Amino acid sequence: MAKLTDDLMQETLSTHLQEGETLEHWAFGIQQPNMLLMLPLFALAILPGVIATQMLTKNYLAGLTNKRFVVLQVKSVVNVELKALTEYARDDFAASPASYRPGKLFTHIKINSAEKPFKCKFHRMLSKDNRMHAEAMGAAISAP
Amino acid sequence: MRACPFCSNAEGGNPCGLCGRAPTASRKVCAACKKMTPLDEPQCSHCGTALRSELRWKIPVIVAMFVAAISVSAIVEVFMR
């Protein structure tokens, strides 16, 4: 389908002109539904995706001790009620190091364990030192 | 010596000398008794409640949300004609 150009608009309108009539101006326009209807419809289209993403997101609180890398799965960022706990001995990373990638927005940590695989990204904006701590943990377990 | 996180056996050991579980295994909080139970076992090791994945109810809810959204869009389109 050809994109509507100035020539195509003139050509389309010209077929409806009467004899001796000349076209002076032309433009393309739209009529949309009322904004009071459009806004709920946009919300209807976007909200299920936002809610689904939120429902499928897992929240982790990770910590590195002198012996272990401990991962707490918590309910949400505002409710740190414990849901699950996974731990890795720091010594284990010597044999199979984790991978870590410091991005501009997120610091990614991935542990390729057959028994306890773990993949998580830490947002730099969560707290003042979130990025620093995430990078320090990533560096420690990726190159022990 | 570290106590077993599942049976609280103070003697510990890997695997635990009492329950035989690895003390470093991934674990979750049982929704019924609120105690730690191994993630890879089908039932709570304390109260025996069946441990079901949250996806069991989340996936149908998400599908229902999309179906509802598509249905409402279709209804609006029919009535706007």
Side-chain angles (χ1 to χ4, degrees), chain A residues 74-94:
Chain A
V74 294
K75 280 206 165 171
S76 71
V77 73
V78 292
N79 179 5
V80 290
E81 188 182 324
L82 183 66
K83 287 178 79 178
L85 185 152
T86 304
E87 61 181 301
Y88 306 85
R90 282 188 73 160
D91 296 342
D92 293 348
F93 294 114

Side-chain angles (χ1 to χ4, degrees), chain B residues 18-52:
Chain B
L18 194 63
C19 69
R21 295 184 176 93
T24 58
S26 294
R27 45 203 182 267
K28 67 182 290 186
V29 177
C30 170
C33 70
K34 307 292 179 194
K35 288 179 181 168
M36 284 287 188
T37 185
L39 201 61
D40 56 357
E41 291 184 16
Q43 293 174 325
C44 174
S45 60
H46 302 281
C47 66
T49 302
L51 300 172
R52 294 198 172 94

Side-chain angles (χ1 to χ4, degrees), chain A residues 4-6 9-10 13 23-30:
Chain A
L4 193 60
T5 59
D6 253 20
M9 281 194 275
Q10 286 182 72
L13 284 165
L23 186 64
E24 293 179 355
H25 301 287
W26 52 92
F28 178 79
I30 57 169

Side-chain angles (χ1 to χ4, degrees), chain A residues 32-33 40 43 55 67 73 76 101 107 141:
Chain A
Q32 286 186 320
M55 284 173 74
K67 291 179 181 173
Q73 189 188 343
S76 71
R101 182 165 53 86
T107 300
I141 63 176

Side-chain angles (χ1 to χ4, degrees), chain A residues 33-34 37 41 44-45 47-49 51-57 68 73 81-88 115-116, chain B residues 2 5 23-29 34 36 39 54-55 57-59 61-62 65-66 68-70 72-73 76 80:
Chain A
N34 190 311
L37 180 64
L41 286 177
L44 192 70
L47 273 179
I51 295 169
T53 305
Q54 200 60 37
M55 284 173 74
L56 297 174
T57 298
R68 298 179 299 151
Q73 189 188 343
E81 188 182 324
L82 183 66
K83 287 178 79 178
L85 185 152
T86 304
E87 61 181 301
Y88 306 85
E115 293 172 352
K116 298 182 280 187
Chain B
R2 178 186 171 190
T24 58
S26 294
R27 45 203 182 267
K28 67 182 290 186
V29 177
K34 307 292 179 194
M36 284 287 188
L39 201 61
E54 285 186 338
L55 294 180
W57 68 267
K58 283 184 176 178
I59 297 293
V61 167
I62 290 168
M65 269 192 320
F66 278 98
I70 292 165
V72 172
S73 302
V76 169
M80 290 296 290

